[in-house]
Structures are given as structure tokens and as C-alpha cells.
Amino acid sequence: MTAWKMAYHANCWGALGGDAVGVTSIGRLAYRTFGDMDRAAREIAAAGYEGIEFFDGNVLDAEAEDFASLRRLLDETGLALVAVYSGGNFIFADILEEELARIERAADAARALGAEHLVVGGGATRLSGVRAGDHDALAAALEKVVGLAERRGLKAQYHPHLSTIVERPEEIARVFAKTSIGFCPDTAHLAAAGGDPAALVAEHAGRISYVHLKGWQREPFAFVPVGQGDCDNGAVIRALRTIGYEGWVCNELDAWPDPAAGARESLAFVKAEVGKG
């Protein structure tokens, strides 16, 4: 199917959370799926995917053993680790060094396991709202992420996300004007923030070397399999074909009663849309 390789994020096989120790130790705060990652990988492979993405916390769990358990899991399933997802506040100067040190650990893990991409989200929204300079601080921090990724042979990607200071198209453009980081569009988050994901793919085509496809429904708000809901992922797929995109496409679904069924449904949708030519 074109020159795309299909991956799936392991976050659907458990509750999304973070490390509680991060409340008092910024350098140890990571994303985490509280679930069985062995089961996730095996079901993702059985659904027909070639690759997988993990949160940084789940990968760093295997750091002490030099990632032996993850290497074994990837070998047994035949999956490639495509990306590791991390993030940070990025706008608070006093803790930026700690945040970047943690992201460096995630990047080291990604390199050790043969991943191509380091994906980060973030840009904290203050309780008092956005202040002058916050977008500039975020962009400067993202440029540091670009550097640490490049030193490890990784491609750095920024993933705009609801609840951060980069949700809407104008915020995306504002930050991208000041950093060279790649753009990992998460179609559901872009649509939920009021953007047109297909138009954003076209606008920022030169930055895109990794993609997250996700479904989203407006009422009641929920993330759903890629072909369901109010996010026109068919239009996104057409836009990706128009710009000549080649590389990994990662389907994603934050939570679903039957994670394996959601993975299969999302893959079937993408294949059907690509098959339309």
C-alpha cells in the first residue's frame, strides 16, 4: 500500500498515566501506559502492523537491563520500534534542564532499540493563561530536542496536543516559524482543536516524516478508531498521497473496550482508503 509502513501505538492496552515521583522529581516524570506491553505488541503484530510506538516510561522500564526484555519482545513479534513518545512543559526555564535530561534518556533508549523517531508533546498552559514569550520559550526548547535527537541519529517530531499552548493552526504556525523540528500531526487532536487536519498536512508538508492517525467524535467527546467519528481521516490520507508522503503512519487510539479490535478496524480503514487510489 503505497510507500507507507503501518505502526500502532501501544497506549490503548491500559490506562494512560505518569510517574508519581515526577511530582517532586521533574527528571523522573515520564508518560506511561499502565498495561501489559507484551500483550499489546503481540496483538498489534497479529492485527497486521509492522511497527509499534511506546511511551517513554514503558521503554525506560527496561533501561536497567539494557532493554533486553524489549529487544526480545520486538524480535518475537517481528515489530520494529518506530518511535518513542515523550514530552515536557518546555516553558519554565528553571526545570528545562531536568526535562531535557529525561528526554535524552528516552532518545538513548530509542537509539538503542533501532527507532527512527523521537516524538514530543508539550508546551504547558499556565493556570493564569498564556504569557508573552511562552511560545518563544517552547520553540527554543524544541530546537534543543532537535539537536539531541540528531546527535543520536533520530528524527525529532513535535506533536501538537489539546490542553497545551499549541492546539490551533495559528499556534502551530507561530511555533514552527521559530524551530526546525518535524511535525507529527495527530489528526484527532488537530480536528478537536478546530483545525482542518488535511489542510495542515498540505501547509506543513515539508516538515512531515511521521504521522499519527486517530479518530475523534465531537459528541460525546471521545477518541475512536481511525475511520469513525468527525475527523475526516480519508481526506488526510488523500492529502498525504498528494504531498507524496512516504514513511511510517502510526494509527492510535487512547482507549477502547477491545484494543485489538480497534487496531484491526483502523488498519482496515487505512488500507481501504489507500486502495481507492
Side-chain angles (χ1 to χ4, degrees):
M1 47 181 290
T2 73
W4 300 356
K5 296 176 286 185
M6 297 301 302
Y8 203 77
H9 202 300
N11 60 345
C12 198
W13 276 260
L16 167 61
D19 295 317
V21 68
V23 173
T24 52
S25 178
I26 294 296
R28 295 175 62 189
L29 178 60
Y31 284 111
R32 182 179 302 281
T33 299
F34 292 100
D36 185 339
M37 294 298 95
D38 278 31
R39 175 192 166 198
R42 295 182 196 286
E43 292 188 353
I44 287 168
Y49 291 90
E50 302 171 74
I52 192 168
E53 179 177 331
F54 286 118
F55 283 132
D56 53 351
N58 294 105
V59 172
L60 292 173
D61 282 346
E63 185 180 33
E65 57 175 19
D66 192 26
F67 312 105
S69 59
L70 269 180
R71 294 179 199 276
R72 184 168 56 252
L73 179 62
L74 295 171
D75 286 344
E76 290 174 356
T77 59
L79 293 171
L81 178 65
V82 179
V84 174
Y85 187 102
S86 189
N89 293 278
F90 292 135
I91 65 168
F92 303 119
D94 286 351
I95 64 170
L96 181 60
E97 180 180 354
E98 299 290 318
E99 291 183 320
L100 291 174
R102 173 176 47 76
I103 292 170
E104 282 192 299
R105 287 178 58 210
D108 284 338
R111 177 183 59 178
L113 291 164
E116 295 180 29
H117 301 283
L118 175 68
V119 185
V120 296
T125 300
R126 302 173 189 266
L127 292 178
S128 59
V130 181
R131 294 184 189 174
D134 282 353
H135 288 97
D136 291 346
L138 170 60
L142 293 177
E143 199 61 22
K144 292 180 182 295
V145 173
V146 171
L148 70 86
E150 287 181 345
R151 289 192 293 275
R152 292 161 174 83
L154 301 170
K155 296 177 183 177
Q157 313 286 345
Y158 180 59
H159 177 299
H161 202 286
L162 294 173
S163 82
T164 71
I165 61 172
V166 182
E167 295 183 340
R168 299 186 299 276
E170 61 271 22
E171 295 166 339
I172 294 169
R174 181 175 182 178
V175 169
F176 280 169
K178 298 187 177 183
T179 175
S180 62
I181 200 165
F183 175 30
C184 176
D186 180 308
T187 55
H189 282 269
L190 297 175
D196 178 340
L200 287 163
V201 164
E203 180 180 354
H204 300 289
R207 288 183 184 263
I208 299 175
S209 61
Y210 187 51
V211 176
H212 279 189
L213 296 181
K214 187 192 298 180
W216 163 72
Q217 70 179 28
R218 184 174 285 104
E219 293 292 343
F221 184 101
F223 294 123
V224 295
V226 171
Q228 294 188 27
D230 299 298
C231 177
D232 189 353
N233 279 304
V236 174
I237 289 168
R238 292 190 294 275
L240 289 168
R241 290 171 63 94
T242 297
I243 68 171
Y245 178 76
E246 297 181 356
W248 284 100
V249 172
C250 182
N251 289 340
E252 184 184 4
L253 181 54
D254 291 13
W256 200 245
D258 184 339
R264 292 192 298 269
E265 180 179 337
S266 292
L267 183 58
F269 174 82
V270 175
K271 287 184 173 181
E273 289 296 310
V274 170
K276 294 177 182 178

